Amino acid sequence: MSNRVVARFQDGRIVKGTSLDVDPAKPVCHVRPPTGDTVEIALADLKALFFVRSLEGDPDRDESRLPDPGDRRLRGATVVSLRFADGERMVGMTIRYPPNKTYFFLNPVDPKSNNLRILVNRDAVTEMELVDVG
């Protein structure tokens, strides 16, 4: 099954398309844009790889940054706030905190987010802190 992904690089570039071979244990993956040739992507160059519902997304949507205490996805998860080197902030849920690998998955706290899950490059994160969900 192919995944719709948006690769956001640390240098600001973006590649959108589908991928079949994303594995955080491997140094590269491949993304096939809707038009053009497949692109090999080094995970080390990424800020994050977003697994998305739609490649277009909704840039006008303001996502919730506060988890719903009744969200069943919170069970066994830790809510964290991240700041990337480019200043972007993101709040999501992760299974392991602090992450013990360079690449780790984050699920958005907003269940209606276009992002299904996010593979974060820890080397692109400048700040990470726990979020108190009460």
Side-chain angles (χ1 to χ4, degrees):
M1 180 173 110
S2 66
N3 296 292
R4 285 183 289 276
V5 296
V6 175
R8 295 194 51 202
F9 292 82
Q10 293 185 58
D11 66 8
R13 290 179 295 137
I14 298 174
V15 173
K16 297 179 180 185
T18 58
S19 183
L20 294 168
D21 67 346
V22 177
D23 182 345
K26 295 186 179 177
V28 298
C29 69
H30 299 85
V31 174
R32 172 173 280 159
T35 60
D37 296 329
T38 298
V39 178
E40 182 175 271
I41 294 178
L43 296 183
D45 294 340
L46 292 177
K47 166 182 161 176
L49 184 69
F50 297 80
F51 294 78
V52 296
R53 298 175 200 275
S54 159
L55 292 177
E56 295 77 33
D58 182 359
D60 296 326
R61 186 169 191 283
D62 188 22
E63 291 202 13
S64 172
R65 295 187 185 274
L66 297 173
D68 175 356
D71 189 338
R72 295 185 344 197
R73 298 176 306 146
L74 287 172
R75 290 188 203 139
T78 302
V79 180
V80 296
S81 173
L82 307 176
R83 181 185 304 267
F84 291 94
D86 65 4
E88 181 181 6
R89 276 202 162 288
M90 185 179 298
V91 177
M93 297 173 279
T94 188
I95 299 301
R96 179 178 297 277
Y97 180 82
N100 62 354
K101 306 237 183 212
T102 303
Y103 308 103
F104 64 96
F105 284 102
L106 195 69
N107 292 319
V109 294
D110 186 340
K112 295 181 180 174
S113 173
N114 187 51
N115 299 314
L116 298 168
R117 65 182 175 153
I118 305 150
L119 180 62
V120 175
N121 179 353
R122 190 179 68 199
D123 291 341
V125 175
T126 58
E127 181 181 309
M128 184 183 318
E129 58 190 26
L130 293 172
V131 174
D132 183 16
V133 293

